[in-house]
Amino acid sequence: KAGVTQTPRYLIKTRGQQVTLSCSPISGHRSVSWYQQTPGQGLQFLFEYFSETQRNKGNFPGRFSGRQFSNSRSEMNVSTLELGDSALYLCASSLNTNNEQFFGPGTRLTVL
Amino acid sequence: EDQVTQSPEALRLQEGESSSLNCSYTVSGLRGLFWYRQDPGKGPEFLFTLYSAGEEKEKERLKATLTKKESFLHITAPKPEDSATYLCAVQGSGAGSYQLTFGKGTKLSVIP
């Protein structure tokens, strides 16, 4: 069974640009969550989607947004990039809310 | 607000030297406590889910236990390949019930 896939694996952008990251969950998983991981803050929750609906959002500015498609694939977008947005962005999928989450390899975003 | 504190931040062990990692948590209604292992540059790998105080789970050299305030990850006779960062996360039943709240992890180094 294929795991969670994320594309691209690496991105380099400059301040002010916008970026879109993609996540394909494990087949059959309907919940997709996004996390930001930095050395200082660790893993921080961005948002969670289930059946195309955002059910919860973390404490991040409105520049961070996401969506989920009918096939459960998800994208997150960051607009007007700042240097502090440099991080590993992780996507995780689960069957449902109370099930364990399985993580993808992440997208390493560097903002110059 | 759910909170997770892991200790120690870093731990160096000789191969075969058993030890324990600690995860203290505060949560409004525990739905689940999760342990993950993360290798450098990779996404977290799921290890265990614990749901109620007194529960224990084992996998190879790892054993996770849970009380009402903390969880322990016991590592018996570790090998160099057990070197990784171990992350603890909780899922509560409050406002953030669709997210995992992570600790900052314990970086384990096992020396041959």
PDB file of all heavy atoms in Angstrom, chain B residues 48-81:
ATOM      1  N   PHE B  48       3.236   4.093  18.001  1.00  0.00           N
ATOM      2  CA  PHE B  48       2.203   3.584  18.896  1.00  0.00           C
ATOM      3  C   PHE B  48       1.075   4.594  19.080  1.00  0.00           C
ATOM      4  O   PHE B  48       1.306   5.800  18.993  1.00  0.00           O
ATOM      5  CB  PHE B  48       2.757   3.315  20.314  1.00  0.00           C
ATOM      6  CG  PHE B  48       3.920   2.382  20.391  1.00  0.00           C
ATOM      7  CD1 PHE B  48       5.187   2.855  20.685  1.00  0.00           C
ATOM      8  CD2 PHE B  48       3.746   1.019  20.191  1.00  0.00           C
ATOM      9  CE1 PHE B  48       6.254   2.005  20.777  1.00  0.00           C
ATOM     10  CE2 PHE B  48       4.814   0.150  20.284  1.00  0.00           C
ATOM     11  CZ  PHE B  48       6.075   0.635  20.580  1.00  0.00           C
ATOM     12  N   THR B  49      -0.106   4.060  19.411  1.00  0.00           N
ATOM     13  CA  THR B  49      -1.202   4.867  19.936  1.00  0.00           C
ATOM     14  C   THR B  49      -1.622   4.278  21.278  1.00  0.00           C
ATOM     15  O   THR B  49      -1.786   3.053  21.396  1.00  0.00           O
ATOM     16  CB  THR B  49      -2.430   4.851  19.007  1.00  0.00           C
ATOM     17  OG1 THR B  49      -2.045   5.195  17.681  1.00  0.00           O
ATOM     18  CG2 THR B  49      -3.465   5.846  19.506  1.00  0.00           C
ATOM     19  N   LEU B  50      -1.781   5.141  22.277  1.00  0.00           N
ATOM     20  CA  LEU B  50      -2.284   4.732  23.588  1.00  0.00           C
ATOM     21  C   LEU B  50      -3.533   5.542  23.869  1.00  0.00           C
ATOM     22  O   LEU B  50      -3.577   6.751  23.613  1.00  0.00           O
ATOM     23  CB  LEU B  50      -1.238   4.989  24.670  1.00  0.00           C
ATOM     24  CG  LEU B  50       0.114   4.276  24.481  1.00  0.00           C
ATOM     25  CD1 LEU B  50       1.152   4.836  25.441  1.00  0.00           C
ATOM     26  CD2 LEU B  50      -0.059   2.775  24.690  1.00  0.00           C
ATOM     27  N   TYR B  51      -4.558   4.884  24.418  1.00  0.00           N
ATOM     28  CA  TYR B  51      -5.835   5.561  24.586  1.00  0.00           C
ATOM     29  C   TYR B  51      -6.229   5.808  26.040  1.00  0.00           C
ATOM     30  O   TYR B  51      -6.974   6.751  26.331  1.00  0.00           O
ATOM     31  CB  TYR B  51      -6.951   4.763  23.902  1.00  0.00           C
ATOM     32  CG  TYR B  51      -6.835   4.725  22.397  1.00  0.00           C
ATOM     33  CD1 TYR B  51      -6.376   3.584  21.734  1.00  0.00           C
ATOM     34  CD2 TYR B  51      -7.171   5.828  21.624  1.00  0.00           C
ATOM     35  CE1 TYR B  51      -6.262   3.547  20.353  1.00  0.00           C
ATOM     36  CE2 TYR B  51      -7.065   5.803  20.239  1.00  0.00           C
ATOM     37  CZ  TYR B  51      -6.605   4.663  19.613  1.00  0.00           C
ATOM     38  OH  TYR B  51      -6.506   4.634  18.245  1.00  0.00           O
ATOM     39  N   SER B  52      -5.779   4.934  26.956  1.00  0.00           N
ATOM     40  CA  SER B  52      -6.232   5.103  28.329  1.00  0.00           C
ATOM     41  C   SER B  52      -5.121   4.737  29.303  1.00  0.00           C
ATOM     42  O   SER B  52      -4.228   3.929  28.979  1.00  0.00           O
ATOM     43  CB  SER B  52      -7.467   4.236  28.587  1.00  0.00           C
ATOM     44  OG  SER B  52      -7.193   2.891  28.322  1.00  0.00           O
ATOM     45  N   ALA B  53      -5.186   5.340  30.502  1.00  0.00           N
ATOM     46  CA  ALA B  53      -4.188   5.106  31.537  1.00  0.00           C
ATOM     47  C   ALA B  53      -4.073   3.614  31.837  1.00  0.00           C
ATOM     48  O   ALA B  53      -5.086   2.915  31.942  1.00  0.00           O
ATOM     49  CB  ALA B  53      -4.554   5.880  32.795  1.00  0.00           C
ATOM     50  N   GLY B  54      -2.837   3.157  31.956  1.00  0.00           N
ATOM     51  CA  GLY B  54      -2.590   1.751  32.231  1.00  0.00           C
ATOM     52  C   GLY B  54      -2.289   0.939  30.986  1.00  0.00           C
ATOM     53  O   GLY B  54      -1.815  -0.194  31.061  1.00  0.00           O
ATOM     54  N   GLU B  55      -2.546   1.523  29.833  1.00  0.00           N
ATOM     55  CA  GLU B  55      -2.321   0.808  28.583  1.00  0.00           C
ATOM     56  C   GLU B  55      -0.825   0.742  28.277  1.00  0.00           C
ATOM     57  O   GLU B  55      -0.079   1.672  28.551  1.00  0.00           O
ATOM     58  CB  GLU B  55      -3.065   1.509  27.448  1.00  0.00           C
ATOM     59  CG  GLU B  55      -3.108   0.719  26.161  1.00  0.00           C
ATOM     60  CD  GLU B  55      -3.978   1.392  25.097  1.00  0.00           C
ATOM     61  OE1 GLU B  55      -4.537   2.470  25.378  1.00  0.00           O
ATOM     62  OE2 GLU B  55      -4.094   0.820  23.995  1.00  0.00           O
ATOM     63  N   GLU B  56      -0.384  -0.367  27.694  1.00  0.00           N
ATOM     64  CA  GLU B  56       1.001  -0.564  27.289  1.00  0.00           C
ATOM     65  C   GLU B  56       1.015  -1.179  25.895  1.00  0.00           C
ATOM     66  O   GLU B  56       0.158  -2.000  25.566  1.00  0.00           O
ATOM     67  CB  GLU B  56       1.747  -1.492  28.251  1.00  0.00           C
ATOM     68  CG  GLU B  56       1.825  -1.008  29.677  1.00  0.00           C
ATOM     69  CD  GLU B  56       2.626  -1.951  30.574  1.00  0.00           C
ATOM     70  OE1 GLU B  56       2.973  -3.052  30.113  1.00  0.00           O
ATOM     71  OE2 GLU B  56       2.905  -1.576  31.724  1.00  0.00           O
ATOM     72  N   LYS B  57       2.031  -0.790  25.109  1.00  0.00           N
ATOM     73  CA  LYS B  57       2.214  -1.392  23.792  1.00  0.00           C
ATOM     74  C   LYS B  57       3.696  -1.597  23.552  1.00  0.00           C
ATOM     75  O   LYS B  57       4.519  -0.801  23.996  1.00  0.00           O
ATOM     76  CB  LYS B  57       1.581  -0.526  22.700  1.00  0.00           C
ATOM     77  CG  LYS B  57       0.066  -0.571  22.717  1.00  0.00           C
ATOM     78  CD  LYS B  57      -0.538   0.016  21.480  1.00  0.00           C
ATOM     79  CE  LYS B  57      -2.060  -0.133  21.534  1.00  0.00           C
ATOM     80  NZ  LYS B  57      -2.733   0.559  20.422  1.00  0.00           N
ATOM     81  N   GLU B  58       4.013  -2.682  22.836  1.00  0.00           N
ATOM     82  CA  GLU B  58       5.412  -3.024  22.582  1.00  0.00           C
ATOM     83  C   GLU B  58       5.652  -3.260  21.105  1.00  0.00           C
ATOM     84  O   GLU B  58       4.775  -3.745  20.375  1.00  0.00           O
ATOM     85  CB  GLU B  58       5.792  -4.302  23.340  1.00  0.00           C
ATOM     86  CG  GLU B  58       5.946  -4.146  24.812  1.00  0.00           C
ATOM     87  CD  GLU B  58       6.516  -5.389  25.479  1.00  0.00           C
ATOM     88  OE1 GLU B  58       7.688  -5.715  25.233  1.00  0.00           O
ATOM     89  OE2 GLU B  58       5.765  -6.030  26.224  1.00  0.00           O
ATOM     90  N   LYS B  59       6.880  -2.915  20.690  1.00  0.00           N
ATOM     91  CA  LYS B  59       7.300  -3.196  19.322  1.00  0.00           C
ATOM     92  C   LYS B  59       8.803  -3.325  19.340  1.00  0.00           C
ATOM     93  O   LYS B  59       9.514  -2.354  19.593  1.00  0.00           O
ATOM     94  CB  LYS B  59       6.866  -2.061  18.386  1.00  0.00           C
ATOM     95  CG  LYS B  59       7.284  -2.228  16.950  1.00  0.00           C
ATOM     96  CD  LYS B  59       6.819  -1.026  16.127  1.00  0.00           C
ATOM     97  CE  LYS B  59       7.254  -1.133  14.677  1.00  0.00           C
ATOM     98  NZ  LYS B  59       6.795   0.031  13.884  1.00  0.00           N
ATOM     99  N   GLU B  60       9.282  -4.518  19.107  1.00  0.00           N
ATOM    100  CA  GLU B  60      10.712  -4.812  19.139  1.00  0.00           C
ATOM    101  C   GLU B  60      11.315  -4.335  20.462  1.00  0.00           C
ATOM    102  O   GLU B  60      10.936  -4.790  21.529  1.00  0.00           O
ATOM    103  CB  GLU B  60      11.387  -4.192  17.925  1.00  0.00           C
ATOM    104  CG  GLU B  60      10.902  -4.776  16.601  1.00  0.00           C
ATOM    105  CD  GLU B  60      11.572  -4.174  15.387  1.00  0.00           C
ATOM    106  OE1 GLU B  60      12.340  -3.206  15.526  1.00  0.00           O
ATOM    107  OE2 GLU B  60      11.342  -4.682  14.281  1.00  0.00           O
ATOM    108  N   ARG B  61      12.242  -3.397  20.418  1.00  0.00           N
ATOM    109  CA  ARG B  61      12.925  -2.950  21.638  1.00  0.00           C
ATOM    110  C   ARG B  61      12.204  -1.799  22.327  1.00  0.00           C
ATOM    111  O   ARG B  61      12.686  -1.267  23.331  1.00  0.00           O
ATOM    112  CB  ARG B  61      14.363  -2.521  21.291  1.00  0.00           C
ATOM    113  CG  ARG B  61      15.230  -3.673  20.794  1.00  0.00           C
ATOM    114  CD  ARG B  61      16.614  -3.187  20.387  1.00  0.00           C
ATOM    115  NE  ARG B  61      16.575  -2.327  19.217  1.00  0.00           N
ATOM    116  CZ  ARG B  61      16.450  -2.785  17.977  1.00  0.00           C
ATOM    117  NH1 ARG B  61      16.359  -4.072  17.747  1.00  0.00           N
ATOM    118  NH2 ARG B  61      16.423  -1.937  16.951  1.00  0.00           N
ATOM    119  N   LEU B  62      11.073  -1.387  21.823  1.00  0.00           N
ATOM    120  CA  LEU B  62      10.333  -0.250  22.354  1.00  0.00           C
ATOM    121  C   LEU B  62       9.066  -0.687  23.089  1.00  0.00           C
ATOM    122  O   LEU B  62       8.360  -1.587  22.647  1.00  0.00           O
ATOM    123  CB  LEU B  62       9.938   0.698  21.212  1.00  0.00           C
ATOM    124  CG  LEU B  62      11.064   1.299  20.390  1.00  0.00           C
ATOM    125  CD1 LEU B  62      10.493   2.137  19.252  1.00  0.00           C
ATOM    126  CD2 LEU B  62      12.006   2.120  21.249  1.00  0.00           C
ATOM    127  N   LYS B  63       8.811  -0.001  24.210  1.00  0.00           N
ATOM    128  CA  LYS B  63       7.587  -0.235  24.960  1.00  0.00           C
ATOM    129  C   LYS B  63       7.051   1.101  25.432  1.00  0.00           C
ATOM    130  O   LYS B  63       7.769   1.871  26.075  1.00  0.00           O
ATOM    131  CB  LYS B  63       7.850  -1.136  26.169  1.00  0.00           C
ATOM    132  CG  LYS B  63       6.623  -1.400  27.034  1.00  0.00           C
ATOM    133  CD  LYS B  63       6.997  -2.307  28.198  1.00  0.00           C
ATOM    134  CE  LYS B  63       5.840  -2.533  29.132  1.00  0.00           C
ATOM    135  NZ  LYS B  63       6.234  -3.422  30.270  1.00  0.00           N
ATOM    136  N   ALA B  64       5.794   1.394  25.105  1.00  0.00           N
ATOM    137  CA  ALA B  64       5.165   2.652  25.503  1.00  0.00           C
ATOM    138  C   ALA B  64       4.141   2.386  26.578  1.00  0.00           C
ATOM    139  O   ALA B  64       3.374   1.420  26.496  1.00  0.00           O
ATOM    140  CB  ALA B  64       4.509   3.315  24.299  1.00  0.00           C
ATOM    141  N   THR B  65       4.139   3.262  27.599  1.00  0.00           N
ATOM    142  CA  THR B  65       3.178   3.159  28.686  1.00  0.00           C
ATOM    143  C   THR B  65       2.490   4.500  28.887  1.00  0.00           C
ATOM    144  O   THR B  65       3.015   5.542  28.480  1.00  0.00           O
ATOM    145  CB  THR B  65       3.868   2.721  29.988  1.00  0.00           C
ATOM    146  OG1 THR B  65       4.817   3.721  30.366  1.00  0.00           O
ATOM    147  CG2 THR B  65       4.571   1.383  29.819  1.00  0.00           C
ATOM    148  N   LEU B  66       1.318   4.468  29.530  1.00  0.00           N
ATOM    149  CA  LEU B  66       0.533   5.687  29.679  1.00  0.00           C
ATOM    150  C   LEU B  66      -0.068   5.776  31.079  1.00  0.00           C
ATOM    151  O   LEU B  66      -0.617   4.794  31.593  1.00  0.00           O
ATOM    152  CB  LEU B  66      -0.601   5.714  28.651  1.00  0.00           C
ATOM    153  CG  LEU B  66      -1.526   6.937  28.663  1.00  0.00           C
ATOM    154  CD1 LEU B  66      -0.752   8.206  28.286  1.00  0.00           C
ATOM    155  CD2 LEU B  66      -2.702   6.744  27.715  1.00  0.00           C
ATOM    156  N   THR B  67       0.075   6.976  31.698  1.00  0.00           N
ATOM    157  CA  THR B  67      -0.644   7.280  32.926  1.00  0.00           C
ATOM    158  C   THR B  67      -1.549   8.476  32.629  1.00  0.00           C
ATOM    159  O   THR B  67      -1.608   8.945  31.494  1.00  0.00           O
ATOM    160  CB  THR B  67       0.310   7.637  34.080  1.00  0.00           C
ATOM    161  OG1 THR B  67       0.881   8.937  33.838  1.00  0.00           O
ATOM    162  CG2 THR B  67       1.428   6.604  34.208  1.00  0.00           C
ATOM    163  N   LYS B  68      -2.210   8.998  33.643  1.00  0.00           N
ATOM    164  CA  LYS B  68      -3.133  10.115  33.414  1.00  0.00           C
ATOM    165  C   LYS B  68      -2.412  11.425  33.123  1.00  0.00           C
ATOM    166  O   LYS B  68      -3.019  12.370  32.628  1.00  0.00           O
ATOM    167  CB  LYS B  68      -4.058  10.290  34.616  1.00  0.00           C
ATOM    168  CG  LYS B  68      -5.093   9.181  34.727  1.00  0.00           C
ATOM    169  CD  LYS B  68      -6.106   9.468  35.822  1.00  0.00           C
ATOM    170  CE  LYS B  68      -7.153   8.364  35.865  1.00  0.00           C
ATOM    171  NZ  LYS B  68      -8.153   8.581  36.945  1.00  0.00           N
ATOM    172  N   LYS B  69      -1.093  11.472  33.412  1.00  0.00           N
ATOM    173  CA  LYS B  69      -0.378  12.724  33.205  1.00  0.00           C
ATOM    174  C   LYS B  69       0.848  12.597  32.305  1.00  0.00           C
ATOM    175  O   LYS B  69       1.392  13.611  31.854  1.00  0.00           O
ATOM    176  CB  LYS B  69       0.081  13.301  34.559  1.00  0.00           C
ATOM    177  CG  LYS B  69      -1.043  13.741  35.461  1.00  0.00           C
ATOM    178  CD  LYS B  69      -0.500  14.374  36.737  1.00  0.00           C
ATOM    179  CE  LYS B  69      -1.638  14.852  37.636  1.00  0.00           C
ATOM    180  NZ  LYS B  69      -1.134  15.474  38.882  1.00  0.00           N
ATOM    181  N   GLU B  70       1.305  11.357  32.077  1.00  0.00           N
ATOM    182  CA  GLU B  70       2.512  11.217  31.285  1.00  0.00           C
ATOM    183  C   GLU B  70       2.572   9.863  30.584  1.00  0.00           C
ATOM    184  O   GLU B  70       1.842   8.919  30.936  1.00  0.00           O
ATOM    185  CB  GLU B  70       3.758  11.423  32.158  1.00  0.00           C
ATOM    186  CG  GLU B  70       3.846  10.547  33.363  1.00  0.00           C
ATOM    187  CD  GLU B  70       4.950  11.009  34.318  1.00  0.00           C
ATOM    188  OE1 GLU B  70       5.733  11.922  33.978  1.00  0.00           O
ATOM    189  OE2 GLU B  70       5.035  10.456  35.412  1.00  0.00           O
ATOM    190  N   SER B  71       3.473   9.813  29.625  1.00  0.00           N
ATOM    191  CA  SER B  71       3.732   8.566  28.931  1.00  0.00           C
ATOM    192  C   SER B  71       5.238   8.358  28.908  1.00  0.00           C
ATOM    193  O   SER B  71       6.007   9.320  28.898  1.00  0.00           O
ATOM    194  CB  SER B  71       3.189   8.628  27.504  1.00  0.00           C
ATOM    195  OG  SER B  71       3.507   7.451  26.788  1.00  0.00           O
ATOM    196  N   PHE B  72       5.631   7.105  28.921  1.00  0.00           N
ATOM    197  CA  PHE B  72       7.046   6.767  28.838  1.00  0.00           C
ATOM    198  C   PHE B  72       7.276   5.880  27.626  1.00  0.00           C
ATOM    199  O   PHE B  72       6.462   5.007  27.310  1.00  0.00           O
ATOM    200  CB  PHE B  72       7.503   6.030  30.096  1.00  0.00           C
ATOM    201  CG  PHE B  72       7.494   6.878  31.321  1.00  0.00           C
ATOM    202  CD1 PHE B  72       6.388   6.896  32.160  1.00  0.00           C
ATOM    203  CD2 PHE B  72       8.580   7.678  31.641  1.00  0.00           C
ATOM    204  CE1 PHE B  72       6.360   7.677  33.302  1.00  0.00           C
ATOM    205  CE2 PHE B  72       8.567   8.470  32.779  1.00  0.00           C
ATOM    206  CZ  PHE B  72       7.453   8.466  33.616  1.00  0.00           C
ATOM    207  N   LEU B  73       8.408   6.120  26.978  1.00  0.00           N
ATOM    208  CA  LEU B  73       8.854   5.225  25.917  1.00  0.00           C
ATOM    209  C   LEU B  73      10.130   4.560  26.420  1.00  0.00           C
ATOM    210  O   LEU B  73      11.164   5.214  26.571  1.00  0.00           O
ATOM    211  CB  LEU B  73       9.121   5.999  24.623  1.00  0.00           C
ATOM    212  CG  LEU B  73       9.479   5.148  23.409  1.00  0.00           C
ATOM    213  CD1 LEU B  73       8.303   4.255  23.005  1.00  0.00           C
ATOM    214  CD2 LEU B  73       9.899   6.023  22.226  1.00  0.00           C
ATOM    215  N   HIS B  74      10.019   3.285  26.743  1.00  0.00           N
ATOM    216  CA  HIS B  74      11.147   2.536  27.268  1.00  0.00           C
ATOM    217  C   HIS B  74      11.884   1.879  26.102  1.00  0.00           C
ATOM    218  O   HIS B  74      11.263   1.244  25.246  1.00  0.00           O
ATOM    219  CB  HIS B  74      10.656   1.458  28.235  1.00  0.00           C
ATOM    220  CG  HIS B  74       9.763   1.987  29.328  1.00  0.00           C
ATOM    221  ND1 HIS B  74      10.252   2.567  30.470  1.00  0.00           N
ATOM    222  CD2 HIS B  74       8.405   2.026  29.429  1.00  0.00           C
ATOM    223  CE1 HIS B  74       9.229   2.941  31.235  1.00  0.00           C
ATOM    224  NE2 HIS B  74       8.103   2.628  30.627  1.00  0.00           N
ATOM    225  N   ILE B  75      13.205   2.032  26.116  1.00  0.00           N
ATOM    226  CA  ILE B  75      14.026   1.433  25.064  1.00  0.00           C
ATOM    227  C   ILE B  75      14.954   0.420  25.728  1.00  0.00           C
ATOM    228  O   ILE B  75      15.798   0.792  26.554  1.00  0.00           O
ATOM    229  CB  ILE B  75      14.830   2.505  24.313  1.00  0.00           C
ATOM    230  CG1 ILE B  75      13.881   3.552  23.742  1.00  0.00           C
ATOM    231  CG2 ILE B  75      15.659   1.866  23.208  1.00  0.00           C
ATOM    232  CD1 ILE B  75      14.566   4.705  23.052  1.00  0.00           C
ATOM    233  N   THR B  76      14.775  -0.826  25.354  1.00  0.00           N
ATOM    234  CA  THR B  76      15.541  -1.920  25.966  1.00  0.00           C
ATOM    235  C   THR B  76      16.673  -2.340  25.030  1.00  0.00           C
ATOM    236  O   THR B  76      16.446  -2.624  23.856  1.00  0.00           O
ATOM    237  CB  THR B  76      14.634  -3.122  26.241  1.00  0.00           C
ATOM    238  OG1 THR B  76      13.573  -2.713  27.111  1.00  0.00           O
ATOM    239  CG2 THR B  76      15.427  -4.255  26.906  1.00  0.00           C
ATOM    240  N   ALA B  77      17.889  -2.372  25.585  1.00  0.00           N
ATOM    241  CA  ALA B  77      19.069  -2.798  24.825  1.00  0.00           C
ATOM    242  C   ALA B  77      19.122  -2.150  23.444  1.00  0.00           C
ATOM    243  O   ALA B  77      19.081  -2.841  22.415  1.00  0.00           O
ATOM    244  CB  ALA B  77      19.103  -4.322  24.713  1.00  0.00           C
ATOM    245  N   PRO B  78      19.180  -0.812  23.396  1.00  0.00           N
ATOM    246  CA  PRO B  78      19.119  -0.124  22.100  1.00  0.00           C
ATOM    247  C   PRO B  78      20.308  -0.442  21.207  1.00  0.00           C
ATOM    248  O   PRO B  78      21.409  -0.767  21.686  1.00  0.00           O
ATOM    249  CB  PRO B  78      19.103   1.348  22.497  1.00  0.00           C
ATOM    250  CG  PRO B  78      19.763   1.400  23.828  1.00  0.00           C
ATOM    251  CD  PRO B  78      19.357   0.136  24.521  1.00  0.00           C
ATOM    252  N   LYS B  79      20.061  -0.295  19.897  1.00  0.00           N
ATOM    253  CA  LYS B  79      21.092  -0.473  18.894  1.00  0.00           C
ATOM    254  C   LYS B  79      21.301   0.863  18.177  1.00  0.00           C
ATOM    255  O   LYS B  79      20.421   1.740  18.220  1.00  0.00           O
ATOM    256  CB  LYS B  79      20.661  -1.548  17.899  1.00  0.00           C
ATOM    257  CG  LYS B  79      20.470  -2.923  18.521  1.00  0.00           C
ATOM    258  CD  LYS B  79      20.083  -3.951  17.464  1.00  0.00           C
ATOM    259  CE  LYS B  79      19.957  -5.330  18.095  1.00  0.00           C
ATOM    260  NZ  LYS B  79      19.614  -6.365  17.079  1.00  0.00           N
ATOM    261  N   PRO B  80      22.419   1.028  17.485  1.00  0.00           N
ATOM    262  CA  PRO B  80      22.671   2.296  16.777  1.00  0.00           C
ATOM    263  C   PRO B  80      21.533   2.698  15.834  1.00  0.00           C
ATOM    264  O   PRO B  80      21.251   3.895  15.677  1.00  0.00           O
ATOM    265  CB  PRO B  80      23.966   2.013  16.016  1.00  0.00           C
ATOM    266  CG  PRO B  80      24.684   1.030  16.881  1.00  0.00           C
ATOM    267  CD  PRO B  80      23.610   0.144  17.458  1.00  0.00           C
ATOM    268  N   GLU B  81      20.859   1.720  15.252  1.00  0.00           N
ATOM    269  CA  GLU B  81      19.768   2.048  14.321  1.00  0.00           C
ATOM    270  C   GLU B  81      18.534   2.607  15.018  1.00  0.00           C
ATOM    271  O   GLU B  81      17.600   3.076  14.354  1.00  0.00           O
ATOM    272  CB  GLU B  81      19.362   0.825  13.482  1.00  0.00           C
ATOM    273  CG  GLU B  81      19.038  -0.416  14.275  1.00  0.00           C
ATOM    274  CD  GLU B  81      20.218  -1.381  14.347  1.00  0.00           C
ATOM    275  OE1 GLU B  81      21.365  -0.907  14.523  1.00  0.00           O
ATOM    276  OE2 GLU B  81      19.981  -2.606  14.234  1.00  0.00           O
TER     277      GLU B  81
END
